[in-house]
Amino acid sequence: MTDAGVLHCRTVVRYGIGSVGTAAFGTLPGLVLVYYLTDTLGVPALAAGIVIAVAKIWDVVIDPAIGFVSDRHAEARGSRRPLMLLGAAALPAAFLVTFAVPGALPTAAQALWVAVAFLLSATAFSLFQVPYIALPAELTDDYDQRTRLLTVRVVVLALGILVFGAGGPALRDAGSSEAVGYLLMAAVTGVLMGVSMWVASRSADDARRVVVGDAPVSPAVAYRAAIAALRRSRALRMLLGAFVLQGLATGLMLAGAQYIATWVLDSESAVSVLFAALIAPALICTPLWGAIARRWGKEVGFVAATALFALAAVSLAGLWWSSGPWVYGSVAVAGAAYAGMQALPMAMLPDVIGHDEATHGESAAGTIGGVWTAGETSGMALGSVLFTLALAIGGYISSDEPDAVIQPGSALDAMIVGFSVLPAVLALVSVPLILRYPLRRTTIETMNDKVVAGD
């Protein structure tokens, strides 16, 4: 970072590369883990949802504590890098073990194996992700530079989702058996996650030093700090609430993609085409959302992106009547909107952290990053759980031999509702929260001017 707050390209690139790991861990578990449980291991749909939920409830518990510890490390050691490196080192192995379930185990033991391994994976991911989320507020104080940094991150994120969303199932299908295919997918993905997270950790060296106070490190203090941050920052409550609701919406669609491809589009491999249709427009449109933010404000673009996503999602209810190529057009519009729904709130979060530091008198970037990560990951995961609940209500038949199963019409209806109507409703419910978000460009610029003037 320069004295004027302009970010070096090196910093932007290093930080953006971290989204390769974020894309992989955010995409593949949501895309294939529930399907792996129900249609490879034969775990009932509701039980599969519980497996995912347990790991994400654990995320909610540990993320604020990780954020609190990250703040203390940032002050004492001058960098958030140690925790990021620990997560980068541990995640590849834990992710591989998640998909290395011994075939000889009973179904219940297989579900338990996945639950424990995925919990360890989620823990390792949080060790990286929480400080990673905190960094933008410390890399630059400039309103537009933050948008630039997070726009690059979301472009990389979108590219990563495309690669892993399409390539992950392709790697799985390339194996000599389902078990070998899932191991191949997990091994390649794990290596790429670890390398990208290591590169991103280097960007922590460019962050400014922070002052976080002298509170002792303990779980109780960490959770009190997280609650205090939520209480004092209306901007955080509004932004996080909207993002969690949208995480539920996108989590539903992500979990549903494989089921829609297999049972509605009658092509298991169609999930790769769905992802291409979703992410290719996101790659193109992410810079456009950045331009909208610079011209009219981040919050205006966020509302527009959300409304467009809801419109695209509800149009997919047409799957009840037809499953033709038009589906990919609706998914493409959702992808264009998804780019804004990712880039803009991520660019708004550093403003929230900076505003909190200016008004509170000390940095809570890690604590707020922990709260944000807990909300983000639990929203996506609970979207998967909500989809499995819809499947259970619809009478979905789980089997380790899915080719021998004919799903009832009610199960197909549940898939379509979970892939279209529910995401649209959740997106629309988030709009009033965005409208109540209080920070504008003028707020941030005035605050920064006061800091420079020493007021």
Side-chain angles (χ1 to χ4, degrees):
M1 184 176 71
T2 69
D3 292 338
V6 178
L7 290 164
H8 292 295
C9 288
R10 175 197 64 196
T11 302
V12 174
V13 170
R14 284 176 174 173
Y15 187 80
I17 286 174
S19 280
V20 173
T22 301
F25 194 76
T27 301
L28 279 180
L31 177 64
V32 303
L33 189 53
V34 171
Y35 192 75
Y36 174 66
L37 286 162
T38 60
D39 284 47
T40 297
L41 303 181
V43 177
L46 193 56
I50 292 172
V51 167
I52 306 298
V54 167
K56 294 312 176 181
I57 291 171
W58 175 243
D59 267 345
V60 173
V61 173
I62 65 169
D63 286 351
I66 291 173
F68 192 80
V69 171
S70 176
D71 281 338
R72 268 62 202 166
H73 278 201
E75 181 178 50
R77 303 184 184 183
S79 177
R80 299 185 185 273
R81 195 179 183 205
L83 286 182
M84 298 173 73
L85 286 174
L86 181 59
L91 181 56
F95 192 72
L96 178 62
V97 172
T98 302
F99 292 95
V101 181
L105 291 178
T107 300
Q110 289 178 326
L112 181 61
W113 176 292
V114 173
V116 173
F118 189 53
L119 185 147
L120 293 174
S121 299
T123 302
F125 179 72
S126 290
L127 288 171
F128 169 82
Q129 181 73 357
V130 171
Y132 180 66
I133 289 291
L135 279 179
E138 296 160 6
L139 290 171
T140 178
D141 296 325
D142 186 82
Y143 183 89
D144 289 322
Q145 285 296 307
R146 288 171 175 170
T147 302
R148 173 193 169 208
L149 177 67
L150 274 301
T151 297
V152 170
R153 180 193 164 190
V154 171
V155 168
V156 177
L157 180 70
L159 182 59
I161 292 172
L162 177 60
V163 170
F164 292 107
L171 282 172
R172 175 197 63 191
D173 297 340
S176 57
S177 66
E178 276 195 334
V180 172
Y182 275 111
L183 279 175
L184 176 63
M185 178 198 74
V188 173
T189 301
V191 170
L192 292 175
M193 286 192 295
V195 171
S196 70
M197 290 174 172
W198 176 82
V199 172
S201 73
R202 299 289 301 277
S203 65
D205 296 336
D206 298 327
R208 61 176 171 83
R209 296 292 296 266
V210 298
V211 176
V212 300
D214 56 0
V217 177
S218 73
V221 172
Y223 300 128
R224 285 201 297 269
I227 293 170
L230 281 168
R231 283 179 174 173
R232 68 177 177 259
S233 177
R234 177 186 170 195
L236 177 60
R237 294 195 303 274
M238 297 302 104
L239 187 62
L240 180 61
F243 201 65
V244 169
L245 286 169
Q246 294 182 8
L248 281 168
T250 54
L252 274 162
M253 295 189 77
L254 187 63
Q258 183 70 75
Y259 292 89
I260 291 292
T262 301
W263 298 108
V264 179
L265 301 180
D266 293 323
S267 171
E268 188 170 338
S269 62
V271 68
S272 297
V273 183
L274 283 173
F275 260 80
L278 178 70
I279 302 305
L283 288 169
I284 298 169
C285 293
T286 296
L288 296 178
W289 290 114
I292 290 172
R294 288 189 294 274
R295 177 65 179 85
W296 287 289
K298 301 172 191 178
E299 69 288 343
V300 173
F302 194 15
V303 170
T306 304
L308 183 62
F309 177 86
L311 180 63
V314 79
S315 73
L316 289 165
L319 285 165
W320 268 311
W321 300 280
S322 170
S323 58
W326 66 269
V327 171
Y328 301 111
S330 291
V331 170
V333 175
Y338 176 75
M341 290 166 59
Q342 287 290 302
L344 298 174
M346 288 180 183
M348 294 157 77
L349 181 62
D351 297 334
V352 172
I353 293 172
H355 182 263
D356 180 76
E357 182 177 357
T359 56
H360 181 51
E362 58 187 43
S363 175
T367 296
I368 293 175
V371 171
W372 182 268
T373 302
E376 178 182 15
T377 56
S378 62
M380 290 288 289
L382 290 175
S384 297
V385 174
L386 189 57
F387 191 84
T388 62
L389 180 60
L391 290 180
I393 293 172
Y396 182 82
I397 302 171
S398 298
S399 173
D400 56 3
E401 296 181 2
D403 291 341
V405 171
I406 297 177
Q407 297 294 344
S410 57
L412 300 180
D413 290 342
M415 294 175 200
I416 295 171
V417 170
F419 192 66
S420 60
V421 178
L422 287 179
V425 170
L426 288 165
L428 289 176
V429 171
S430 73
V431 170
L433 296 177
I434 306 171
L435 294 175
R436 295 179 63 194
Y437 173 79
L439 302 183
R440 301 292 183 266
R441 176 191 292 275
T442 53
T443 311
I444 303 303
E445 292 178 345
T446 300
M447 178 187 72
N448 289 339
D449 290 342
K450 289 182 178 179
V451 171
V452 172
D455 293 343

